[in-house]
Amino acid sequence: TVFSAEWTTPPTPDFTQSPPYLVRNGFAFAALAPGGSVHTWGEAVYGGDSSAVTAALATGVSKIVHARFAFAALLTDGSVTAWGVPVSTTGVTALASSTTVTAIIANEGAFAVIDSTALSAFGSPHLGGSAPSIPVAVASLYATSCSFAALMTDGTVLAWGSDHCGGLIPTDVITALTGVVKIAATAEAFAALR
């Protein structure tokens, strides 16, 4: 049996004068042009076809991030839009009308955002697409392949996602995670610097 995915063609804009910022997942590409528009191509279902969110991607995009099967864009108005495999984009609708998202990060199947110092996530729940409630403001976000970590403004750390790659902080480690100033991530683990 031969599997043939629907492949969309590369964009027609002339990028030779102002090269775009190019992002890729395993199956598609997204180019962020200097004017803030996004052009996509590749396997349609995995983000190569962004026609469902064309209006949102026409102008004002400041950043694109990728999961394995999807993309998400942070717009200059503080909203977020996503396209690609539905399991990776489930829950983004709540952020489409937001005007306070300041940061976005992705792992293999989910996205996490700082939304007015609060935490929000969307995508596969098993990979961190459902963010825990937080007691203090988020300073920065980090990702392994299937989990997220948030460095809080009080120097504590919160992690969620797959228990097998950093999404579960052992009880004996939680008490040591105070005064943290930086987090580093590998594909399956986090490390904290105090």
Side-chain angles (χ1 to χ4, degrees):
T1 303
V2 175
F3 174 76
S4 176
E6 181 183 338
W7 182 267
T8 57
T9 57
T12 54
D14 179 13
F15 289 133
T16 57
Q17 297 301 313
S18 297
Y21 175 74
L22 189 63
V23 178
R24 57 127 182 104
N25 64 23
F27 306 92
F29 298 90
L32 176 57
S37 62
V38 174
H39 306 275
T40 62
W41 68 99
E43 291 195 35
V45 70
Y46 299 125
D49 178 6
S50 58
S51 59
V53 292
T54 298
L57 299 178
T59 186
V61 175
S62 63
K63 182 177 183 178
I64 304 171
V65 294
H66 70 90
R68 186 169 186 189
F69 303 119
F71 296 95
L74 174 59
L75 284 72
T76 54
D77 68 2
S79 64
V80 173
T81 192
W83 65 101
V85 172
V87 71
S88 297
T89 60
T90 299
V92 71
T93 308
L95 296 169
S97 60
S98 175
T99 58
T100 56
V101 175
T102 57
I104 186 167
I105 193 167
N107 66 23
E108 289 286 322
F111 300 87
V113 303
I114 298 174
D115 186 2
S116 185
T117 70
L119 185 61
S120 189
F122 61 94
S124 172
H126 305 294
L127 301 178
S130 178
S133 58
I134 56 169
V136 295
V138 179
S140 53
L141 295 170
Y142 304 87
T144 64
S145 61
C146 52
S147 297
F148 295 107
L151 176 57
M152 312 309 278
T153 55
D154 66 357
T156 59
V157 176
L158 178 67
W160 72 100
S162 172
D163 295 354
H164 303 291
C165 61
L168 177 66
I169 302 172
T171 316
D172 59 326
V173 175
I174 290 174
T175 56
L177 290 176
T178 59
V180 174
V181 295
K182 185 169 176 96
I183 297 174
T186 67
E188 295 187 357
F190 295 106
L193 176 65
R194 296 189 296 161

